[in-house]
Amino acid sequence: MNLTVLEPQARDIIRRYDQPRAATLPLLWLVQENFGYVSSEAEHWVGGLVGIAVSHVREVVSFYTMFRTAPIGRRELRVCTSTPCMLRGAEHVLSQIKERLGIGPGETTPGGELTVTEVECLCACEVAPMAQLDEQFVGPLTPETLQALLQEGLKAPGTSRPPEPEAFIATDGPVLSTRFKNPEGTWLDAYVADEGYTAAKKAFSMTPAEIIDVVLKANLRGLGGAGFPTGRKWSFIQKDNPKPKYLVINADEGEPGTFKDRYILERDPHALLEGMLIAAYAIGSHKSYVYVRGEYFRPAQRFQRAVDEAYAAGWLGKNIQGTGFDLDVVVHRGAGAYICGEETALLSSLEGGKGFPKLKPPFPAISGLFQCPTIVNNVETLACVPYIFREGAERFAKLGTAKQGGTRLFSISGHVNRPGLYEAPVGVTLRELIEKYGQGVPNGRKLKAVIPGGISAKVLTAAEIDVPMDFDSLMAAGTMAGSAGVIVMDETTSMVDALQYAMKFFAHESCGQCSPCREGTGWVNRIMHRMIDGGGRLGDLDDLLTIARNMEGKTICVFADAAAWPIQSYITKFRPEFEEFIRTRRPAPGHAPAHQVIPLAVTR
């Protein structure tokens, strides 16, 4: 492995970061993209470049699922097995792959052409069941499309490409989806022609305090899941703090059932950049890092194209548009860790370490990236900001409810006739999303349950869907809006299976830092597997609830809480089904195992 040929690129990467260690992940990506894996020699090389011990590099490599320490096949097929894909037949996809190729997850074809990997959510739930061949999403996988995909996977890389997946995407929303029509994206010239960057010009004529006041009046809340008022968050930055101030964008979208941020990055990246400009000016930041999840190859590439355009046009860099304001943007890729969606874990990862959450306080606004004042905002949140300054805070506020302004991008997946991405006012009801936007449950079946805000949210029954989708209404209903990932389950769904899918995800994605989470998620996963295999006991249900209770509120971050909430809601609301499953050692009546590929009618 001749690493010296990479040194000019490595030096250029290191120069982008305010501290050399923060370049650890991009340097590891540089090695893997050139040699196929990260060797022990490469770990020493990276450690020497950034000034850390090789043991620290080794723990980073072992923490992230996308880094490899040994060669694999010439191509890699990542098959998604999270809840939305399992509901639409991912189990059958895996069995078909084994039948046709003679290999299972973690194995490579005898000729070394293709390695199959089972992965947790790839956040392309609108085309479930789906997979990722090298860097490209492919789906929905019917028997016919799967056969074509496997034939493609056995070819040499770069010889041809499978077709891009198509899904329904709402394009009539007033705030976020107006430029989603073109799957090839809206680039600088078209964005400027559509009043792009006029909001930034307006904001540059205001004081930071005035900007924050506008955002507060708009009632914009954090759309990554927490729902904290955005303007209030910006106000926490201490203006007299002499340290550098950072703006960090959370584009590490990983919540099963959610795929909204991907479309902003791919189809309207300048909306995010303009929102970043306004936010950075408001908090006095001159350096911004955009943390994009590792599996988002295409979104990262397309967003980098927008960044390059903005630099060339004078919208990034020194003395932006003659205002005297400077802002540099670095696109930083993760490497496969759901926990990095938690803001302090994201900062730990960005600093070049494992994605371990940090104790709060201090909060990032006081001591965040590199122990400096930092604001972490979600992609969708900042993509709303240009509209607010272009159309007015009052207009944005009126689109929503009394305490939450605007619209949201709702990701709808699972058992609906038209899975897809929909922009709607935050006060839209869950019933409207399922019946009007998703066009109801397929094949005349009845609705059984819905997850309203990504897999972490407590499940709702069919009788509980007349609820507005804003943060406060869903909290009052005993669940949460979260990431607005709506996962629909029809009457054939086994809630035992559904809980097992969820617990497999949480056990896999726990960072392991806190023992209640590390041990609790593992324990629950083992109990659920035993139950599925026919060895369940009625006492398991109370044990599961006890474990969940002992996880909730007892760890550094809310990951353990997020794992506990599905346990509590599934068992509490569907306990008779769990009890029947255990007593009979078989699925409850009406249950059809989730291993039939459901053909989708797809439109753009």
Coordinates of all heavy atoms in Angstrom, one line a residue, residues 113-167:
E113 N -16.4 -11.0 -7.1 CA -17.1 -9.9 -7.7 C -17.9 -9.0 -6.8 O -17.9 -7.8 -6.9 CB -18.0 -10.4 -8.8 CG -17.4 -11.3 -9.9 CD -17.4 -12.7 -9.6 OE1 -17.7 -13.1 -8.4 OE2 -17.1 -13.5 -10.5
L114 N -18.6 -9.7 -5.8 CA -19.6 -8.9 -5.1 C -19.7 -9.4 -3.6 O -19.7 -10.6 -3.3 CB -21.0 -9.1 -5.7 CG -22.2 -8.4 -5.1 CD1 -22.0 -6.9 -5.3 CD2 -23.5 -8.8 -5.7
T115 N -19.6 -8.4 -2.7 CA -19.9 -8.7 -1.3 C -21.2 -8.2 -0.9 O -21.6 -7.1 -1.2 CB -18.8 -8.0 -0.4 OG1 -17.5 -8.5 -0.7 CG2 -19.1 -8.2 1.1
V116 N -22.0 -9.0 -0.1 CA -23.3 -8.6 0.3 C -23.2 -8.3 1.8 O -22.6 -9.0 2.6 CB -24.3 -9.8 0.1 CG1 -25.7 -9.4 0.7 CG2 -24.5 -10.1 -1.3
T117 N -23.8 -7.1 2.1 CA -23.8 -6.6 3.5 C -25.2 -6.3 3.9 O -25.9 -5.6 3.2 CB -22.9 -5.3 3.6 OG1 -21.6 -5.6 3.1 CG2 -22.7 -4.9 5.1
E118 N -25.6 -6.8 5.1 CA -26.8 -6.4 5.7 C -26.6 -5.1 6.5 O -25.8 -5.1 7.4 CB -27.4 -7.5 6.6 CG -28.7 -7.2 7.2 CD -29.2 -8.3 8.1 OE1 -28.7 -9.5 8.0 OE2 -30.1 -8.1 9.0
V119 N -27.4 -4.1 6.3 CA -27.2 -2.8 7.0 C -28.5 -2.4 7.6 O -29.6 -2.8 7.2 CB -26.7 -1.7 6.0 CG1 -25.3 -2.1 5.5 CG2 -27.6 -1.5 4.9
E120 N -28.4 -1.5 8.6 CA -29.5 -0.8 9.1 C -29.9 0.3 8.2 O -29.4 0.4 7.1 CB -29.2 -0.3 10.5 CG -29.0 -1.4 11.5 CD -30.1 -2.4 11.7 OE1 -31.3 -2.0 11.5 OE2 -29.9 -3.6 12.1
C121 N -30.9 1.1 8.5 CA -31.6 2.0 7.6 C -30.6 2.9 6.7 O -29.7 3.5 7.3 CB -32.5 2.9 8.4 SG -33.7 3.8 7.3
L122 N -30.9 2.8 5.4 CA -30.2 3.7 4.5 C -30.9 5.0 4.2 O -30.5 5.8 3.4 CB -29.9 2.9 3.2 CG -28.9 1.8 3.3 CD1 -29.0 0.9 2.0 CD2 -27.5 2.3 3.5
C123 N -32.1 5.1 4.8 CA -32.9 6.3 4.6 C -33.3 6.6 3.2 O -33.1 7.7 2.7 CB -32.3 7.5 5.3 SG -32.3 7.4 7.1
A124 N -33.8 5.5 2.5 CA -34.4 5.6 1.2 C -35.7 4.8 1.3 O -36.0 4.0 0.4 CB -33.5 5.2 0.1
C125 N -36.4 5.0 2.4 CA -37.6 4.2 2.7 C -38.7 4.4 1.7 O -39.6 3.5 1.7 CB -38.1 4.6 4.1 SG -36.8 4.8 5.4
E126 N -38.7 5.4 0.9 CA -39.7 5.6 -0.1 C -39.7 4.6 -1.2 O -40.6 4.5 -2.0 CB -39.7 7.1 -0.6 CG -38.6 7.4 -1.6 CD -37.2 7.7 -0.9 OE1 -36.9 7.2 0.2 OE2 -36.5 8.5 -1.5
V127 N -38.5 4.0 -1.4 CA -38.4 2.9 -2.4 C -38.1 1.6 -1.8 O -37.4 0.8 -2.4 CB -37.3 3.3 -3.4 CG1 -37.8 4.5 -4.3 CG2 -36.0 3.7 -2.8
A128 N -38.6 1.3 -0.6 CA -38.4 0.0 0.1 C -39.2 -1.1 -0.7 O -40.3 -0.8 -1.2 CB -38.9 0.1 1.5
P129 N -38.7 -2.3 -0.6 CA -37.3 -2.7 -0.1 C -36.2 -2.2 -1.1 O -36.4 -2.3 -2.3 CB -37.4 -4.2 0.0 CG -38.4 -4.6 -1.1 CD -39.4 -3.5 -1.2
M130 N -35.1 -1.8 -0.5 CA -34.1 -1.2 -1.3 C -32.7 -1.7 -0.9 O -32.5 -2.3 0.1 CB -34.2 0.3 -1.3 CG -34.1 1.0 0.0 SD -32.4 1.2 0.7 CE -31.7 2.2 -0.6
A131 N -31.7 -1.3 -1.7 CA -30.4 -1.6 -1.4 C -29.5 -0.5 -2.0 O -30.0 0.4 -2.7 CB -30.0 -3.0 -2.0
Q132 N -28.2 -0.6 -1.7 CA -27.2 0.3 -2.3 C -26.1 -0.4 -2.9 O -25.4 -1.2 -2.2 CB -26.7 1.2 -1.1 CG -25.8 2.4 -1.6 CD -25.3 3.3 -0.5 OE1 -25.1 2.8 0.6 NE2 -25.3 4.6 -0.7
L133 N -26.0 -0.3 -4.2 CA -24.9 -0.9 -4.9 C -23.8 0.1 -5.1 O -23.9 1.1 -5.7 CB -25.3 -1.4 -6.3 CG -24.3 -2.1 -7.2 CD1 -23.7 -3.3 -6.5 CD2 -24.8 -2.4 -8.6
D134 N -22.7 -0.2 -4.4 CA -21.6 0.7 -4.3 C -22.1 2.1 -3.7 O -22.4 2.2 -2.5 CB -20.8 0.9 -5.6 CG -20.2 -0.4 -6.1 OD1 -19.8 -1.2 -5.2 OD2 -20.1 -0.6 -7.3
E135 N -22.2 3.1 -4.5 CA -22.7 4.4 -4.0 C -24.1 4.8 -4.5 O -24.5 5.9 -4.2 CB -21.7 5.5 -4.6 CG -20.3 5.3 -4.1 CD -19.3 6.4 -4.5 OE1 -19.8 7.3 -5.2 OE2 -18.1 6.4 -4.2
Q136 N -24.8 3.8 -5.1 CA -26.1 4.2 -5.7 C -27.2 3.4 -5.0 O -27.2 2.2 -4.9 CB -26.1 3.9 -7.2 CG -27.3 4.3 -7.9 CD -27.3 4.1 -9.4 OE1 -26.2 3.8 -9.9 NE2 -28.4 4.3 -10.0
F137 N -28.3 4.2 -4.6 CA -29.5 3.5 -4.1 C -30.3 2.9 -5.3 O -30.4 3.4 -6.4 CB -30.4 4.6 -3.5 CG -29.9 5.1 -2.2 CD1 -30.3 6.3 -1.7 CD2 -29.0 4.4 -1.4 CE1 -29.8 6.8 -0.5 CE2 -28.6 4.8 -0.2 CZ -29.0 6.1 0.3
V138 N -30.9 1.7 -5.0 CA -31.7 1.0 -6.0 C -32.9 0.4 -5.3 O -32.8 -0.2 -4.2 CB -30.9 -0.2 -6.6 CG1 -31.7 -0.9 -7.7 CG2 -29.5 0.3 -7.2
G139 N -34.1 0.7 -5.9 CA -35.3 0.1 -5.3 C -36.5 0.7 -6.1 O -36.4 1.6 -6.9
P140 N -37.7 0.2 -5.8 CA -38.0 -0.9 -4.9 C -37.6 -2.2 -5.6 O -37.7 -2.4 -6.8 CB -39.5 -0.8 -4.7 CG -40.0 -0.1 -5.9 CD -38.9 0.9 -6.3
L141 N -37.2 -3.2 -4.8 CA -36.6 -4.4 -5.3 C -37.8 -5.5 -5.4 O -38.1 -6.1 -4.5 CB -35.5 -4.9 -4.4 CG -34.3 -4.0 -4.4 CD1 -33.3 -4.6 -3.4 CD2 -33.7 -3.9 -5.8
T142 N -38.3 -5.6 -6.6 CA -39.2 -6.7 -7.0 C -38.3 -7.9 -7.4 O -37.1 -7.7 -7.7 CB -40.2 -6.3 -8.1 OG1 -39.4 -6.0 -9.2 CG2 -40.9 -5.0 -7.7
P143 N -38.9 -9.0 -7.6 CA -38.1 -10.2 -8.1 C -37.4 -9.8 -9.4 O -36.2 -10.2 -9.6 CB -39.1 -11.3 -8.3 CG -40.1 -11.0 -7.3 CD -40.2 -9.5 -7.2
E144 N -38.0 -9.0 -10.3 CA -37.4 -8.7 -11.6 C -36.3 -7.7 -11.4 O -35.2 -7.9 -12.0 CB -38.5 -8.1 -12.6 CG -39.6 -9.1 -13.0 CD -40.6 -9.4 -11.9 OE1 -40.7 -8.5 -11.0 OE2 -41.2 -10.5 -11.9
T145 N -36.5 -6.6 -10.7 CA -35.5 -5.6 -10.5 C -34.3 -6.2 -9.7 O -33.2 -5.8 -9.9 CB -36.0 -4.4 -9.8 OG1 -36.6 -4.7 -8.5 CG2 -37.1 -3.7 -10.7
L146 N -34.6 -7.1 -8.7 CA -33.5 -7.7 -8.0 C -32.6 -8.5 -8.9 O -31.4 -8.5 -8.7 CB -34.1 -8.6 -6.9 CG -33.0 -9.3 -6.0 CD1 -32.1 -8.3 -5.3 CD2 -33.7 -10.2 -5.0
Q147 N -33.2 -9.3 -9.8 CA -32.4 -10.1 -10.7 C -31.5 -9.2 -11.6 O -30.3 -9.5 -11.7 CB -33.3 -10.9 -11.6 CG -32.6 -11.7 -12.7 CD -31.7 -12.8 -12.1 OE1 -32.0 -13.3 -11.0 NE2 -30.6 -13.2 -12.7
A148 N -32.0 -8.1 -12.1 CA -31.2 -7.1 -12.8 C -30.1 -6.5 -12.0 O -29.0 -6.3 -12.5 CB -32.1 -6.0 -13.4
L149 N -30.4 -6.2 -10.7 CA -29.4 -5.6 -9.8 C -28.3 -6.6 -9.6 O -27.1 -6.2 -9.6 CB -30.1 -5.3 -8.5 CG -29.2 -4.8 -7.4 CD1 -28.5 -3.5 -7.8 CD2 -29.9 -4.5 -6.1
L150 N -28.6 -7.9 -9.4 CA -27.5 -8.9 -9.1 C -26.7 -9.1 -10.3 O -25.4 -9.2 -10.2 CB -28.2 -10.2 -8.7 CG -28.9 -10.2 -7.3 CD1 -29.5 -11.5 -7.0 CD2 -28.0 -9.7 -6.2
Q151 N -27.3 -9.1 -11.5 CA -26.5 -9.1 -12.7 C -25.5 -7.9 -12.8 O -24.4 -8.1 -13.2 CB -27.4 -9.2 -13.9 CG -28.1 -10.5 -14.0 CD -29.2 -10.5 -15.1 OE1 -29.5 -9.5 -15.8 NE2 -29.8 -11.7 -15.4
E152 N -26.1 -6.8 -12.5 CA -25.2 -5.6 -12.5 C -24.1 -5.6 -11.5 O -23.0 -5.2 -11.8 CB -26.1 -4.4 -12.2 CG -25.4 -3.0 -12.1 CD -24.9 -2.5 -13.5 OE1 -25.6 -2.9 -14.5 OE2 -24.0 -1.8 -13.5
G153 N -24.4 -6.2 -10.3 CA -23.4 -6.3 -9.3 C -22.2 -7.2 -9.6 O -21.1 -7.0 -9.0
L154 N -22.4 -8.1 -10.5 CA -21.4 -9.0 -10.9 C -20.5 -8.5 -12.0 O -19.4 -9.0 -12.3 CB -22.0 -10.4 -11.3 CG -22.7 -11.2 -10.2 CD1 -23.4 -12.4 -10.8 CD2 -21.8 -11.5 -9.1
K155 N -20.9 -7.3 -12.5 CA -20.0 -6.7 -13.5 C -18.9 -5.9 -12.9 O -19.0 -5.5 -11.7 CB -20.9 -5.8 -14.4 CG -22.0 -6.5 -15.2 CD -22.8 -5.5 -16.0 CE -23.9 -6.1 -16.7 NZ -24.8 -5.2 -17.4
A156 N -17.9 -5.5 -13.7 CA -16.9 -4.7 -13.1 C -17.4 -3.3 -12.8 O -18.3 -2.8 -13.5 CB -15.8 -4.5 -14.2
P157 N -16.9 -2.6 -11.8 CA -17.3 -1.3 -11.4 C -17.2 -0.3 -12.6 O -16.2 -0.4 -13.3 CB -16.4 -0.9 -10.2 CG -15.9 -2.2 -9.7 CD -15.8 -3.1 -10.9
G158 N -18.2 0.5 -12.7 CA -18.1 1.6 -13.7 C -18.5 1.2 -15.1 O -18.5 2.1 -16.0
T159 N -18.8 -0.1 -15.4 CA -19.2 -0.5 -16.7 C -20.6 0.0 -17.1 O -20.9 0.3 -18.2 CB -19.0 -2.0 -16.9 OG1 -19.8 -2.6 -15.8 CG2 -17.6 -2.5 -16.7
S160 N -21.4 0.0 -16.1 CA -22.8 0.5 -16.3 C -23.4 0.8 -15.0 O -22.8 0.5 -13.9 CB -23.7 -0.5 -17.1 OG -23.8 -1.7 -16.3
R161 N -24.6 1.4 -15.0 CA -25.2 1.8 -13.7 C -26.7 1.3 -13.7 O -27.4 1.4 -14.8 CB -25.2 3.3 -13.6 CG -23.9 3.9 -13.3 CD -23.9 5.4 -13.3 NE -24.9 6.0 -12.4 CZ -24.5 6.3 -11.1 NH1 -23.3 6.1 -10.7 NH2 -25.4 6.9 -10.3
P162 N -27.2 0.8 -12.6 CA -28.6 0.6 -12.5 C -29.4 1.9 -12.6 O -28.9 2.9 -12.3 CB -28.8 -0.1 -11.2 CG -27.6 0.3 -10.4 CD -26.5 0.6 -11.4
P163 N -30.7 1.8 -13.0 CA -31.5 3.0 -13.0 C -31.7 3.6 -11.7 O -31.7 2.9 -10.6 CB -32.8 2.6 -13.6 CG -32.9 1.1 -13.3 CD -31.5 0.6 -13.3
E164 N -31.7 5.0 -11.6 CA -32.0 5.7 -10.4 C -33.4 5.3 -9.9 O -34.4 5.2 -10.7 CB -31.9 7.2 -10.5 CG -30.5 7.7 -10.9 CD -29.6 7.7 -9.7 OE1 -30.1 7.5 -8.5 OE2 -28.4 7.7 -9.8
P165 N -33.6 5.1 -8.6 CA -35.0 4.8 -8.1 C -35.9 6.0 -8.3 O -35.4 7.2 -8.2 CB -34.8 4.5 -6.6 CG -33.5 5.2 -6.3 CD -32.7 5.2 -7.5
E166 N -37.2 5.8 -8.5 CA -38.1 6.8 -8.6 C -39.2 6.7 -7.5 O -39.6 5.6 -7.1 CB -38.8 6.8 -9.9 CG -37.9 7.1 -11.1 CD -38.7 7.1 -12.4 OE1 -39.9 6.8 -12.4 OE2 -38.1 7.5 -13.4
A167 N -39.6 7.8 -6.9 CA -40.6 7.8 -5.9 C -41.4 9.0 -6.0 O -41.0 10.0 -6.7 CB -40.0 7.7 -4.5

